[in-house]
Amino acid sequence: MTSLRTAHRPLWRRVVVVNLLVFAVGTAALAFSPATVSARPLASEVVVLLIGLAVMAVANGLVVRSLVRPFDQLVHRLDHELSADPIQLLPEGDDGIAGRVTAAVNDLLGRIEREQRAAGASALAGQEGERARIAQELHDGVGQSLTAILLEAGRLADAPRVEPADVGRIRDVARDSLDEVRRVARQLRPHVLEDLGLRSALAALTTELFEHGGTHARRAISPALPDLDETVELVVFRVAQEALTNVARHAGASSVEVRLSPRGEDVVLTVSDDGRGLASGDDGTGLRGMRERAGLVGGTVDVARRGGGGTVVTLVVPVVPR
């Protein structure tokens, strides 16, 4: 029981107790020794006092060093292990306060390593999902168009006479393929965001997705929107892109609204629609991707059912990335 209480006693109290003991022993030694000090101390008496002070200082230093030395060793081991790749856990063995600190550091390192593995796996899954989506779009759009061009070109190669209308059909299909490639390229790298800013990029995005469909798109972007970091702008655009693409493809909505406005030190993006709503427990790759992107700049994403039917996606992100 005594050793357990000592192990859990704060270090500063242990140092104070050690110092008091050293000074008490030194005082007792001077009090009960034959040495005396005159009203006007003699040189020999000053020497005795200095020797006593030196002995107490050395004794205090040795004892305090024995208390603090495990922490110096811990810091040295930590510096060595953190410079290694991968990070290694610190060796445990001390039952005192240094041992408890070592255990806490090992627990923290373990959590960091688990978070890194989880983040790496999530990022890989997101990349693979994005690649699969792009591959599917290229296959369904550009791939089919190019196949049609090849079939038409093969038919014309065997025809005795080529009509201008036949060439026009090939030209139209090739133009559609080029438009599809440009659309995929814009999704991969939103140049309009770099050239014209977030407001114009959101306008172009909603126009592209809903101009020829049956969904009416409304935009409400605050004129008081502050200047945003490039990373924040990209996150806002990507989350809006994912949310609006989900509405265009899956919601079956008659209307969708995009709102972007400041709120304190944050900006809030809201994408709401009146479609069929989010399925219970639905947390697909797209939603995970939005949350991961928001987390990169200290933001959060909430996806909820909308009153009266539909879905509301809310992104809250700080103006300056944390």
Side-chain angles (χ1 to χ4, degrees):
M1 182 66 69
T2 302
S3 61
L4 183 61
R5 289 178 179 175
T6 302
H8 289 274
R9 184 181 300 166
L11 180 61
W12 69 270
R13 289 186 180 179
R14 298 173 66 183
V15 173
V16 169
V17 170
V18 168
N19 286 334
L20 289 177
L21 289 176
V22 171
F23 294 147
V25 171
T27 302
L30 291 176
F32 296 102
S33 69
T36 58
V37 179
S38 305
R40 288 188 176 182
L42 302 175
S44 58
E45 293 174 340
V46 174
V47 171
V48 170
L49 291 176
L50 292 177
I51 292 175
L53 179 61
V55 170
M56 286 191 295
V58 171
N60 184 67
L62 292 176
V63 176
V64 172
R65 178 175 176 271
S66 66
L67 291 176
V68 180
R69 186 176 183 182
F71 289 96
D72 292 334
Q73 295 174 343
L74 174 61
V75 171
H76 177 73
R77 292 200 303 265
L78 186 59
D79 289 339
H80 178 268
E81 299 299 345
L82 290 181
S83 63
D85 189 20
I87 296 175
Q88 301 292 330
L89 297 182
L90 302 176
E92 300 182 25
D94 191 350
D95 294 331
I97 186 172
R100 299 205 313 276
V101 173
T102 301
V105 170
N106 283 339
D107 179 69
L108 179 61
L109 292 177
R111 293 184 184 183
I112 292 174
E113 186 177 8
R114 290 191 295 271
E115 288 294 333
Q116 288 178 339
R117 286 200 299 265
S122 180
L124 181 60
Q127 290 176 356
E128 292 302 320
E130 187 74 6
R131 289 171 180 171
R133 182 185 67 81
I134 295 170
Q136 188 66 38
E137 289 188 359
L138 292 176
H139 177 271
D140 295 342
V142 180
Q144 292 182 6
S145 298
L146 293 178
T147 300
I149 291 175
L150 288 175
L151 293 176
E152 187 70 16
R155 187 183 67 81
L156 293 180
D158 298 333
R161 184 169 179 270
V162 178
E163 297 292 337
D166 296 330
V167 178
R169 283 197 303 271
I170 294 179
R171 184 178 61 246
D172 292 340
V173 175
R175 184 182 294 111
D176 292 341
S177 299
L178 181 59
D179 291 340
E180 181 68 15
V181 170
R182 288 172 176 170
R183 185 186 67 81
V184 174
R186 284 196 301 270
Q187 289 183 343
L188 291 176
R189 189 66 179 175
H191 293 287
V192 65
L193 179 62
E194 299 176 353
D195 298 337
L196 302 178
L198 182 59
R199 188 187 303 271
S200 298
L202 291 177
L205 178 63
T206 53
T207 300
E208 178 184 346
L209 290 174
F210 303 107
E211 183 178 20
H212 303 294
T215 303
H216 175 64
R218 297 190 300 272
R219 297 184 296 270
I221 302 177
S222 171
L225 198 67
D227 293 334
L228 302 177
D229 182 87
E230 292 181 359
T231 306
V232 174
E233 282 194 344
L234 183 59
V235 168
V236 172
F237 178 81
R238 288 301 190 192
V239 171
Q241 183 182 46
E242 183 66 34
L244 291 171
T245 301
N246 288 339
V247 174
R249 291 182 176 178
H250 310 300
S254 61
S255 65
V256 60
E257 183 179 52
V258 181
R259 286 184 172 272
L260 183 63
S261 60
R263 188 177 68 188
E265 296 182 353
D266 302 327
V267 291
V268 180
L269 169 73
T270 303
V271 179
S272 59
D273 67 83
D274 60 355
R276 60 177 57 96
L278 188 67
S280 179
D282 189 0
D283 191 19
T285 304
L287 298 184
R288 289 196 300 271
M290 286 191 288
R291 292 191 174 103
E292 289 166 4
R293 285 192 175 99
L296 292 176
V297 291
T300 59
V301 171
D302 179 69
V303 182
R305 292 176 178 270
R306 178 190 178 200
T311 305
V312 179
V313 177
T314 304
L315 166 69
V316 180
V317 63
V319 174
V320 179
R322 297 187 179 99

